[in-house]
Amino acid sequence: MAHVRDEVMPQLLDIEGCVGLSMLVDRMAGRCIATSAWQSEDAMRASEDRAGPIRDRVAEMLGGEPQVEHWEIAVLHRDHTSRPGACVRSTWVQAQMDGIDRAIDVFRMVPLPAMESLDGFCSASLMINRDTGRAVSSVTFDSQRALEDSRERAASVREEATREAGVDMLDVCEFELAVAHLRVPELA
């Protein structure tokens, strides 16, 4: 985590078009997700020659193979900036190819307002891949305690939202927010 924060992040931010980096960590499962954000799809694609070797080096240090996915940020809403100790719940879903816009609308109408009302809510985002119909939402809370306290309500909201959007839930994971330096504007 220190390497990503102290070495990788400055290298990526030095690449034209990079607007930030985040890193989610599940220490028990040995899983980490590092996300870079770019001003545009063109900037992201143009960065590959420089960003690819950086990504590969981190994967080598962690003892794994990088799994690279490209996502569009469809929704991003921040109540406030996260603080040290923040945690994230991510939910992956599969939509029908013609249902991705409906899933975005439902996210804005159902889970976003419900999560925003919970104690310790920091932010929520929805990223989509229009080529595959997959989407992932991430909801950040101030602390592990706030994340834990939200589980029951989040499960109920997830059930309602997946039914309303007509999507299939693939996975739900909880992480600590190890690096939080995304400078993406509000997209709610």
Side-chain angles (χ1 to χ4, degrees), residues 11-169:
Q11 290 175 40
L12 286 179
L13 291 174
D14 194 42
I15 300 172
E16 186 176 342
C18 184
V19 294
L21 174 78
S22 70
M23 183 177 187
L24 306 177
V25 176
D26 178 345
R27 294 173 194 259
M28 297 297 289
R31 182 178 187 187
C32 106
I33 299 172
T35 303
S36 59
W38 302 87
Q39 289 175 339
S40 67
E41 185 174 355
D42 289 341
M44 178 187 67
R45 299 222 184 273
S47 74
E48 187 57 34
D49 286 347
R50 288 183 63 195
I54 296 168
R55 176 184 57 236
D56 294 343
R57 173 71 179 125
V58 171
E60 181 182 310
M61 289 178 70
L62 294 173
E65 289 291 320
Q67 179 181 343
V68 179
E69 298 183 35
H70 297 115
W71 301 89
E72 170 190 335
I73 303 171
V75 178
L76 180 96
H77 171 66
R78 281 187 197 90
D79 180 73
H80 60 273
T81 303
S82 62
R83 301 174 187 102
C87 294
V88 176
R89 180 177 300 109
S90 294
T91 304
W92 286 263
V93 299
Q94 179 68 53
Q96 298 297 320
M97 295 305 289
D98 61 352
I100 203 77
D101 290 323
R102 170 112 179 102
I104 294 168
D105 290 342
V106 169
F107 182 82
R108 284 185 176 116
M109 293 183 302
V110 179
L112 184 58
M115 293 297 106
E116 188 176 29
S117 71
L118 295 174
D119 288 339
F121 170 85
C122 291
S123 64
S125 63
L126 178 68
M127 295 179 285
I128 60 169
N129 182 318
R130 292 185 186 275
D131 293 334
T132 65
R134 289 184 62 219
V136 59
S137 68
S138 293
V139 181
T140 304
F141 292 90
D142 286 326
S143 65
Q144 179 69 34
R145 174 66 183 239
L147 179 79
E148 291 169 2
D149 289 349
S150 73
R151 280 187 188 137
E152 186 176 315
R153 177 69 178 130
S156 173
V157 169
R158 247 189 333 271
E159 183 178 312
E160 178 185 356
T162 55
R163 184 178 55 250
E164 180 78 20
V167 300
D168 295 318
M169 189 168 29

